[in-house]
Amino acid sequence: MATAKMTLLEIVQDVLNDLDSDEVNSISDTVEATQIANVCRSVYYDVITTVDLPEHTELMRVTGLSDSTRPNFMDANDITEIKELRYNVSETAGQIEYKLIDYLLPDEFIQRIVKRDTSSSEIILVTDPTSGISLPIDNSRMPTYYTSFDDRYLCFDSYKSSVDNTLQTSKTMVLGIKLPTFTMTDSSVPDMDDTIFPYYLSEVKVRAESLFKGGPDPKTEQFARKHRYFQKNNRWKTGEQRILNDYGRKRY
């Protein structure tokens, strides 16, 4: 299948041509070429953070803290968005039973756990790593719901201490998004699907023309608007449409 993708150098050369600027053989040849490469990077992150790109959705894990003083916390620092989180609640070694863990908004999470009897041996006080506030956590059962108070650490309602001392990285399964890295080299190709690339290129040109020519060419702007509409309705190769769930963190 033919691809519409271009290297960073090819994108910069294309934009320079539209601006009637000097030709270059590298993005570092001129100040203007470097500036346009920076525009490419800026627009890239604008596009992938405002458009739901299926190619950046993947299976991953969240990281256990391996900290017995915070056994119910996990670290999701390298994940941009969690769409679905499951935990292996099987108590038999070698078996898998991935249970969907519900996301709760912080206030709802607090409303539930503050009702717990802290005199019970099954309830322990765990200190939130950000605020230092003690939370009543159940140590007698597998987790059923979670939240985040700081957009990094995930706080689960419970863990089963008779199975594991802390929640385990290896027992998590997350469907989510990690932002790819934009590499500033001549040969790098921005990581996005072929169908999104024309939209991305048109947005780069609109931004560059606004910065270096005092305003975008009307035809370029019209082309960009057309692709903004197109990409909203043609992202999934399988034709499926994403159902938005309030799973939380960066839309957990």
Side-chain angles (χ1 to χ4, degrees), residues 48-68:
I48 66 173
T49 55
T50 56
V51 175
D52 182 32
L53 301 179
E55 63 269 25
H56 293 155
T57 300
E58 57 185 277
L59 283 176
M60 60 192 83
R61 300 185 190 277
V62 287
T63 305
L65 301 187
S66 299
D67 182 351
S68 59

Side-chain angles (χ1 to χ4, degrees), residues 99-122:
K99 174 186 175 182
L100 180 64
I101 309 300
D102 293 328
Y103 170 76
L104 299 182
L105 293 172
D107 58 340
E108 185 177 358
F109 183 92
I110 292 297
Q111 288 170 13
R112 292 196 187 188
I113 66 170
V114 294
K115 298 176 182 178
R116 292 173 172 174
D117 180 7
T118 55
S119 66
S120 169
S121 60
E122 296 179 346

Side-chain angles (χ1 to χ4, degrees), residues 160-203:
K160 195 160 187 177
S161 59
S162 61
V163 177
D164 294 304
N165 291 329
T166 65
L167 293 178
Q168 301 295 302
T169 302
S170 61
K171 292 188 175 184
T172 64
M173 180 171 68
V174 174
L175 183 66
I177 293 176
K178 289 183 180 180
L179 286 185
T181 301
F182 188 94
T183 305
M184 293 283 284
T185 62
D186 290 342
S187 60
S188 66
V189 178
D191 182 10
M192 62 181 65
D193 193 75
D194 294 0
T195 58
I196 304 297
F197 212 87
Y199 163 61
Y200 165 68
L201 180 59
S202 64
E203 291 290 356

Side-chain angles (χ1 to χ4, degrees), residues 73 106-107 109-110 113 128 130 135 147-151 153 155:
F73 278 89
D107 58 340
F109 183 92
I110 292 297
I113 66 170
D128 173 58
T130 301
L135 305 171
T147 194
S148 180
F149 302 111
D150 62 359
D151 209 34
Y153 292 105
C155 179

Side-chain angles (χ1 to χ4, degrees), residues 140-151:
S140 67
R141 58 186 177 87
M142 293 293 189
T144 55
Y145 53 88
Y146 74 103
T147 194
S148 180
F149 302 111
D150 62 359
D151 209 34

